[in-house]
Amino acid sequence: MAGGTATVMGVGGALGLIPSASAATVPNLMSLNGTQRKVVVLGGGISGLTTAYELTRAGYDVTVLEASHRCGGRVMTVRNGDLIDEIGNPQVCKFDAEPHMYFNCGAARIPSQHKHVLHYCRELGVELEIFINENKHALVHDPDLNGGKPMRNLDISTNLKGFMGELMHKGFTEAELDMPFTDEEAEKMLQVINAFGDLSSEGKYSGSFRAGYLSGGYLDHSVQKEMIDVRDLLKANFFMLRQTFLENEGETAPMLMQPVGGMDNIIKGFVRKLPGKIHYHAMVAGVHDHGDRVEIAYDQNGQRHKIEADYVFNCIPSHLMVGIDNNLPDDYINAMKGIRRGEAYKGAFQMKRRFWEDQDIYGGITWTNQDIRQIWYPFHGLMKPKGVVLAAYDYGGGMGFTRMTQEQRIEAMLASGEKVHPEYRDMAEHGITIAWHRMNHMLGCSARWGQMTPEKELNYELLRKPAGRHYFIGDQVTRHAAWMQSAILSAHYAMEQLDQRVRAEARA
Amino acid sequence: MAGGTATVMGVGGALGLIPSASAATVPNLMSLNGTQRKVVVLGGGISGLTTAYELTRAGYDVTVLEASHRCGGRVMTVRNGDLIDEIGNPQVCKFDAEPHMYFNCGAARIPSQHKHVLHYCRELGVELEIFINENKHALVHDPDLNGGKPMRNLDISTNLKGFMGELMHKGFTEAELDMPFTDEEAEKMLQVINAFGDLSSEGKYSGSFRAGYLSGGYLDHSVQKEMIDVRDLLKANFFMLRQTFLENEGETAPMLMQPVGGMDNIIKGFVRKLPGKIHYHAMVAGVHDHGDRVEIAYDQNGQRHKIEADYVFNCIPSHLMVGIDNNLPDDYINAMKGIRRGEAYKGAFQMKRRFWEDQDIYGGITWTNQDIRQIWYPFHGLMKPKGVVLAAYDYGGGMGFTRMTQEQRIEAMLASGEKVHPEYRDMAEHGITIAWHRMNHMLGCSARWGQMTPEKELNYELLRKPAGRHYFIGDQVTRHAAWMQSAILSAHYAMEQLDQRVRAEARA
């Protein structure tokens, strides 16, 4: 769940953060040149598929065991006819069967600095397009703000920045006393402040054309909108106000991308490269390391199967893995038990008409402090009549939706949506919902390590090293969960350790 | 020239401004139902083509006279084999013949609120994609900043915002004395300020992960970059610093779009709808209103031609029109003489490799205070090996480039570019340049009315009304020059006046 349940260890986790750029290198694995080595990958999430893809290329004999009917884990896109396998609430997507009518149920955003995701998109021929996260033309809705009538993000941010500019202008005099600014520096800083807030040269804000014209502009004399008193804006809750500054917000700040046609095109790309190697509906029932080999038991079509391998790479969610029969070391299993899982809920509607474009909204997010929290408008399908709108995205928090029946969820999304767009209920059809903590074979969203303690640091180090022939992978064993980039890097890290071992054996 | 030479009358023109949204209505012209009315359109710019398209639909007999070998005026895209008809410096574009290898020489950005441009894209089947203007991963280069080494926009803006946050935090105490904030409002405002600057709860800035990690982040413990002293940032000139806040800047703030494959796809769309109606290489030599009809003289292939019509719609640049034989009223011609023209220069290279993507730059603008001013990186063609980079975009100012030979221009662009990207010179090939004030049949960029005086207001009103059977159109007769939206609306305005006249005649 992009951004949502990210836990960043060692730093405050509330904001999306930008890890430093590094070259998109992939492990330089020693080619096996015919030496037989068998690897079983448990779970067809993106870390498992990355492993299967790279090890196959290096000459390993790889089998992937995937419990579900599909690969991808939380990289999941639904289109016409696709199953959402939520326990007790299975749904089949009824969107029109058109390429732009899809919904990314899980991962939905690729920050441009996530080089390794981009690397695999390139390698697998996955076409990318720009994803718009913040759109100043989208709306902010708060019952306490503007009498409950939605406001344009731009109206809030422009006026808030005007007030902020005034504060800075005032604060600068005081700051100058503390800091040795030259006249030139001081003058330049005041220019920056005035430009930031669109202030007069005296540092006064009186509204700004940046929020648009009240009338005129192209052919007729332009009339400026009235300025909005900051105290009126402060009626909104803090979270809503913060959303008008998303240009700051690290990982979800521009530039973001998405695959054309759905995020799972990355998964499909991997799957195409692994013909015959993936077993679906294969539920792992045992993991036993016998020292010289590892034995995996799995159930498929009511039958118990066994498979032996030299190594196992495991991206099964830790909270499920600890309930599977195994002989992994106690401290290792204990470390897995310490990882909590996030909850996340998303919903979507097919919209009969792209009504949001009537309001100059092309892509981006409307924020509301109702339980749906977000409405995402698709840019893709611009010239088409319909579009799929994300109608709710809630992570952490109350998760009220998941205590509702499907019908209640749909009604709640409609009731919330129509407070933002009066035409919402009439436009919406074929609603779908997904609660990741109720999804079959998943039962949770991304890993949450929480604030790192010395004990957790030890557990983290333990889990990222192999236990015998067992390698633990996935975003669950990274410091930046909930991003595909992390899952991919966890696989690379584990493979590099395997490679060192294999090279050492070759030298021996 | 999107944004560049925009003159906004009645308000400060330095910033791109957002005129208010209005429905994308087109003139509801009375259908002529076989009544013969002949209209000659002078100039195949986007205002002329809009006129020809709408009047043809309403049953008028339309002929477009275009002086050049192509329609579009300043909506111009060059690809392999295309001519840049600059006087004394004709060039043929040698970019690879691939769909993504094009250069928008003029208009390059469509703000999402420019509804009428979007309307015609929809009507003409022009596919649109997102255009990235500001990219925080792109660079800022200033010889006085960071020892002349380019810095990431994000590093500047994050640290500048941190300092700004501190100023606000300080200024807030003072502001509170003047304004009756409740405790709750004050608390919320401080939260917003702290979130804006990424400050501690005490209002202190000490660097931010928003600028990226120095190391770690995904698998290893994250290390924060050191904060940058605001005085080091203030070594850059004001214009460079302002570019790190482009998210504020009205018309060039997100969301922006561009046609897939080049801006002139809009022009091609109009031209497809006007088969046989456009005469190329047809240079207007006389415009005479005889009261009951208008007579147009034009030269084509060395021959003088005459054409009579009921009405003439004229988007010839005013500074050229005043030199063409005519019998338009003196005050009308005098008003045209008052409109000045902007100058603008652009250059581009084909790049052998998309080296900017190595630095996580996907689209957007690098700013430099060298004469080239801007480097634009294409997002389009993401997975392809090469791309066309805008290598210079200078408007107003010194225009030093246009006093150079073509070879000198190319060398200057290379010398400037390699100060930003060391590999620039090795990567660049097939450079092209365009100086709009030297372009054949154009001799100027967009109209500049300057600050409006009462006399200019009268002239503006005079020119937007017909003079007899002559209607003056183009962005030159709008309050928001340099945007396609304005040019289109000028045509709509003129056609609505024609329609009133025709309806009145029908009633008479």
Side-chain angles (χ1 to χ4, degrees), chain B residues 32 34-41 55-56 59-65 276-279 292-296 298 306-313 469 471 498 502:
Chain B
L32 292 190
T35 322
Q36 277 303 313
R37 280 185 214 260
K38 175 79 193 168
V39 170
V40 176
V41 175
L55 291 182
T56 298
Y60 290 78
D61 175 15
V62 179
T63 297
V64 179
L65 302 179
K277 295 184 190 298
I278 304 171
H279 297 220
D292 60 338
R293 71 208 142 82
V294 63
E295 184 183 287
I296 308 298
Y298 67 97
K306 293 212 169 172
I307 184 170
E308 292 198 339
D310 295 296
Y311 309 104
V312 59
F313 280 66
R469 294 175 174 275
Y471 293 78
L498 171 64
V502 170

Side-chain angles (χ1 to χ4, degrees), chain A residues 9 318 329-340 448-449 451-467 472 476-479 493, chain B residues 219:
Chain A
M9 294 176 282
S318 56
D330 287 349
D331 58 348
Y332 199 77
I333 288 294
N334 200 47
M336 281 194 193
K337 287 180 179 167
I339 310 174
R340 306 198 71 79
R448 298 177 82 96
W449 281 78
Q451 200 64 35
M452 291 304 272
T453 59
E455 188 195 341
K456 284 189 192 173
E457 289 283 1
L458 288 174
N459 285 343
Y460 180 73
E461 290 305 325
L462 187 66
L463 287 176
R464 70 200 293 235
K465 296 277 180 291
F472 191 48
Q476 57 194 345
V477 62
T478 73
R479 291 174 181 272
Y493 185 80
Chain B
L219 301 181

Side-chain angles (χ1 to χ4, degrees), chain A residues 82 137 181 267 285 299 402 413 425 457 481 492 502:
Chain A
D82 286 341
H137 289 264
F181 278 115
I267 301 304
D299 295 331
T402 55
M413 297 195 306
R425 186 181 290 271
E457 289 283 1
H492 287 182
V502 170

Side-chain angles (χ1 to χ4, degrees), chain A residues 8-11 15 17-21 112-115 118 121-122 126 128-130 132 135-137 154 160-161 163-164 167-168 170-172 174-175 178-181 185 188-189 191-193 195-196 198 209-210 212-222 229-231 234-238 241-242 245 247-251 254-255 257 357-360 362 379 382-383 457 460 464 477-480 485-486 489-490 493, chain B residues 8-11 15 17-21 112-115 118 121-122 126 128-130 132 135 137 154 160-161 163-164 167-168 170-172 174-175 178-181 185 188-189 191-193 195-196 198 209-210 212-222 229-231 234-238 241-242 245 247-251 254-255 257 357-360 362 379 382-383 457 460 464 477-480 485-486 489-490 493:
Chain A
V8 180
M9 294 176 282
V11 296
L15 302 172
L17 304 177
I18 303 172
S20 59
S112 62
Q113 65 271 28
H114 284 193
K115 286 197 178 214
L118 300 184
C121 288
R122 196 179 298 267
V126 177
L128 296 172
E129 62 191 359
I130 296 163
I132 293 295
N135 182 347
K136 292 284 185 198
H137 289 264
L154 185 63
L160 215 41
K161 283 174 176 170
F163 177 72
M164 285 177 151
L167 284 183
M168 285 185 245
K170 286 178 187 153
F172 191 61
E174 197 181 320
D178 304 337
M179 297 178 80
F181 278 115
E185 286 166 350
K188 208 180 283 177
M189 191 67 219
Q191 279 185 292
V192 170
I193 289 167
F196 172 83
D198 203 9
F209 280 107
R210 290 176 186 167
Y213 292 158
L214 184 65
S215 66
Y218 297 109
L219 301 181
D220 299 312
H221 191 74
S222 55
D229 190 309
V230 70
R231 283 162 301 196
L234 289 173
K235 290 173 180 165
N237 80 20
F238 165 65
L241 293 173
R242 211 185 60 136
F245 292 95
E247 70 262 11
N248 295 339
E249 296 289 323
E251 212 126 24
M255 263 279 303
M257 302 180 210
E357 293 174 358
D358 301 345
Q359 290 178 260
D360 296 348
Y362 293 93
F379 180 85
L382 176 63
M383 296 298 187
E457 289 283 1
Y460 180 73
R464 70 200 293 235
V477 62
T478 73
R479 291 174 181 272
H480 205 61
Q485 170 79 355
S486 300
L489 288 179
S490 79
Y493 185 80
Chain B
V8 181
M9 293 177 283
V11 296
L15 303 171
L17 303 177
I18 303 173
S20 59
S112 63
Q113 64 270 27
H114 284 193
K115 287 197 177 214
L118 300 184
C121 288
R122 194 178 297 268
V126 177
L128 296 172
E129 63 191 358
I130 296 164
I132 294 294
N135 183 346
H137 290 263
L154 185 63
L160 214 41
K161 283 174 176 170
F163 177 73
M164 286 176 151
L167 284 183
M168 284 185 247
K170 286 177 187 155
F172 191 60
E174 196 181 321
D178 305 338
M179 295 178 82
F181 278 113
E185 285 166 349
K188 206 179 285 176
M189 191 67 218
Q191 279 183 292
V192 170
I193 289 167
F196 172 83
D198 203 10
F209 279 107
R210 291 176 187 167
Y213 292 160
L214 184 65
S215 65
Y218 297 109
L219 301 181
D220 298 312
H221 192 73
S222 56
D229 190 308
V230 69
R231 283 161 301 196
L234 289 173
K235 290 174 181 166
N237 80 21
F238 165 65
L241 293 174
R242 210 185 61 134
F245 292 95
E247 69 262 11
N248 295 338
E249 296 289 323
E251 214 127 22
M255 268 279 304
M257 302 180 211
E357 293 174 359
D358 300 345
Q359 289 178 262
D360 297 347
Y362 293 92
F379 180 84
L382 176 63
M383 296 297 184
E457 288 284 2
Y460 180 74
R464 71 198 292 233
V477 63
T478 74
R479 291 174 182 273
H480 206 60
Q485 170 79 355
S486 300
L489 288 178
S490 78
Y493 185 81

